[in-house]
Amino acid sequence: MRLAHKLVDATFAERAFFCNSGAEANEAAFKLARRVAHDRFGPEKHEIIATVNSFHGRTLFTVSVGGQPKYSDGFGPKITGISHVPYNDLEALKAQITDKTCAVVIEPIQGESGVVPADKAYLQGARELCDQHNALLIFDEVQTGVGRTGELFAYMHYGVTPDILTSAKSLGGGFPIAAMLTTEALAKHLAVGTHGTTYGGNPLGCAVAAAVLDVVNTPEVLAGVKAKHERFKTRLEKIGQQYGLFTQVRGMGLLIGCVLSDAWKGKAKDIFNAAEKEGLMVLQAGPDVVRFAPSLVVEDADIDEGLDRFERAAAALTKA
Ligand SMILES: Cc1ncc(COP(=O)(O)O)c(C=O)c1O
């Protein structure tokens, strides 16, 4: 209850549904969208539009909605009524959306497939198209939420409000808890008994997440994330140029993607391995992007130390 109030006070939402993972939060979001459309308009209105290369989790519904066949192929028939359009392409969405569409699902920054931020006009346009077609706009903020981008949720940067938002990962600061946030008018379509999970909203998970929000949802931490972004970006651009590794450093807050240059395309894993030799953990976001997603309260001295190590890794790798 306390956690629900904190999330409601801090966002557009009026209701929260708690569960245990990002996939479960998205599963709930997709089921809610279909149920709302079913109740209001009938069974024909069940189609979901997602984006190419998106990632929404690993249950059958969420891999079917996710735009990456490597996660969805090989498990028998997929959930039907789902289509995928290129990300950041408003015309493609416009061409695909119809009155049978019940929801459009977007990650405000595509995380797993390369840290690709949405354009503002794209999210604004998606909002308008959804309104025109009585479709719900779902933002998957499993990766971008809870301070990661320097605002509590990434939608706040864009000024575009979804109907349903999903959150996990940072919500528990490492402890498994996830949430689907929505409005009261929508939430009432999932009446008691129509959806749920034994451990959803368990007292320990909720207490942990409430404590996380008390720390993260403060001006100091959120402003710190923005300032640390600049510290990373400046240095990473320099390293990228000096060693010919990156063409672009993109992302928001402490979700940063370094796009590999042609010479290093497909070799994110090599950079990951070279960094590991220096005792530094970096991440990949697909084969062409090196991802940095450190603690939101990482100290500047640790950033500098980490980037020194990264530079040594880059030097060793490019020399080899
Ligand atoms: C955008 C997004 N949605 C959903 C998920 C799935 O979350 P979980 O692994 O907690 O099920 C992830 C995980 O990487 C993600 O990045």
Side-chain angles (χ1 to χ4, degrees), residues 151-174:
E151 296 287 345
L152 185 61
F153 287 101
Y155 82 86
M156 295 166 176
H157 284 283
Y158 290 94
V160 177
T161 305
D163 300 295
I164 304 174
L165 180 150
T166 55
S167 176
K169 291 193 192 289
S170 326
L171 182 61

Side-chain angles (χ1 to χ4, degrees), residues 23-57:
E24 273 182 69
N26 284 326
E27 184 87 19
F30 305 154
K31 281 180 72 181
L32 174 61
R34 281 196 166 173
R35 179 55 72 106
V36 169
H38 187 279
D39 291 351
R40 288 181 179 170
F41 301 98
E44 284 279 286
K45 190 173 176 71
H46 66 270
E47 294 178 3
I48 294 175
I49 302 177
T51 61
V52 176
N53 288 333
S54 59
F55 185 77
H56 299 296

Side-chain angles (χ1 to χ4, degrees), residues 10-303:
T11 67
F12 75 96
E14 294 156 347
R15 287 282 184 270
F17 167 78
F18 295 118
C19 47
N20 310 288
S21 68
E24 273 182 69
N26 284 326
E27 184 87 19
F30 305 154
K31 281 180 72 181
L32 174 61
R34 281 196 166 173
R35 179 55 72 106
V36 169
H38 187 279
D39 291 351
R40 288 181 179 170
F41 301 98
E44 284 279 286
K45 190 173 176 71
H46 66 270
E47 294 178 3
I48 294 175
I49 302 177
T51 61
V52 176
N53 288 333
S54 59
F55 185 77
H56 299 296
R58 288 178 169 88
T59 62
L60 191 59
F61 202 165
T62 54
V63 291
S64 300
V65 173
Q68 301 190 56
K70 69 177 177 190
Y71 295 114
S72 56
D73 286 358
F75 298 101
K78 293 172 193 168
I79 308 251
T80 54
I82 298 162
S83 59
H84 298 94
V85 294
Y87 189 72
N88 260 339
D89 184 341
L90 192 56
E91 287 309 311
L93 180 59
K94 202 180 206 164
Q96 187 65 27
I97 198 166
T98 70
D99 287 343
K100 287 188 185 171
T101 306
C102 72
V104 173
V105 188
I106 299 176
E107 293 165 81
I109 301 177
Q110 273 195 337
E112 290 305 299
S113 60
V115 189
V116 187
D119 299 331
K120 190 169 184 173
Y122 176 60
L123 295 188
Q124 284 172 336
R127 176 72 274 173
E128 283 165 21
L129 287 171
C130 284
D131 291 343
Q132 283 162 19
H133 293 274
N134 290 314
L136 301 179
L137 180 61
I138 303 174
F139 282 169
D140 177 344
E141 293 232 28
V142 167
Q143 190 151 158
T144 53
V146 194
R148 177 59 50 197
T149 65
E151 296 287 345
L152 185 61
F153 287 101
Y155 82 86
M156 295 166 176
H157 284 283
Y158 290 94
V160 177
T161 305
D163 300 295
I164 304 174
L165 180 150
T166 55
S167 176
K169 291 193 192 289
S170 326
L171 182 61
F175 192 86
I177 178 161
M180 171 183 70
L181 305 180
T182 189
T183 61
E184 189 162 358
L186 298 178
K188 69 171 191 246
H189 289 266
L190 280 188
V192 174
T194 49
H195 190 67
T197 170
T198 301
Y199 295 120
N202 70 80
L204 178 56
C206 289
V208 171
V212 168
L213 282 177
D214 285 344
V215 173
V216 171
N217 195 20
T218 55
E220 307 81 68
V221 169
L222 295 176
V225 169
K226 289 179 181 149
K228 290 174 212 300
H229 173 90
E230 292 309 319
R231 199 174 188 92
F232 266 98
K233 192 171 156 85
T234 308
R235 182 86 187 274
L236 283 170
E237 279 174 347
K238 222 166 125 203
I239 295 172
Q241 248 172 23
Q242 190 171 343
Y243 298 93
L245 278 180
F246 314 136
T247 53
Q248 193 194 359
V249 178
R250 67 189 176 199
M252 283 184 199
L254 289 174
L255 182 55
I256 297 168
C258 303
V259 184
L260 296 177
S261 61
D262 283 345
W264 289 92
K265 261 206 170 35
K267 295 187 178 153
K269 182 78 183 166
D270 294 358
I271 295 174
F272 175 99
N273 290 337
E276 198 180 27
K277 283 193 192 128
E278 294 294 332
L280 176 71
M281 243 174 80
V282 297
L283 297 162
Q284 286 179 252
D288 302 331
V289 174
V290 177
R291 176 173 38 174
F292 290 81
S295 157
L296 303 185
V297 292
V298 60
E299 301 280 346
D300 284 349
D302 289 338
I303 297 176

